C-alpha cells in the first residue's frame, strides 16, 4: 500500500505466533551489515 505522500506501508503475517502486534521498518541501504549493526545498537531486534 502507498499513502498520499508516496510512502509505502507493508502489512505482513509472521510465520510464528506473536503475543501482540509488532511495528517494523523497511529501508534501502548501501551496506547491509553496517545498517544492521546500527539498528541493533539503537535497540531494534531481529525477529
Amino acid at each position: 500500500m502507498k499513502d498520499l505522500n508516496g510512502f509505502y506501508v507493508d502489512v505482513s503475517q509472521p510465520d510464528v505466533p506473536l503475543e501482540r502486534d509488532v511495528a517494523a521498518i523497511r529501508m534501502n541501504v548501501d551496506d547491509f551489515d553496517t545498517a544492521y549493526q546500527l539498528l541493533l545498537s539503537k535497540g531494534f531486534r531481529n525477529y
Side-chain angles (χ1 to χ4, degrees), residues 23-45:
I25 62 170
R26 174 176 71 163
M27 56 193 275
N28 296 324
V29 298
D30 292 326
D31 184 342
F32 174 80
D33 293 325
T34 301
Y36 183 72
Q37 292 304 317
L38 173 72
L39 292 172
L40 289 177
S41 73
K42 301 294 182 186
F44 287 88
R45 291 183 282 170

Side-chain angles (χ1 to χ4, degrees):
M1 295 189 292
K2 187 163 89 170
D3 73 5
L4 296 175
N5 296 316
F7 293 102
Y8 288 93
V9 175
D10 296 324
V11 178
S12 65
Q13 182 174 4
D15 295 335
V16 296
L18 300 174
E19 295 179 13
R20 59 184 174 271
D21 290 341
V22 174
I25 62 170
R26 174 176 71 163
M27 56 193 275
N28 296 324
V29 298
D30 292 326
D31 184 342
F32 174 80
D33 293 325
T34 301
Y36 183 72
Q37 292 304 317
L38 173 72
L39 292 172
L40 289 177
S41 73
K42 301 294 182 186
F44 287 88
R45 291 183 282 170
N46 183 1
Y47 286 95

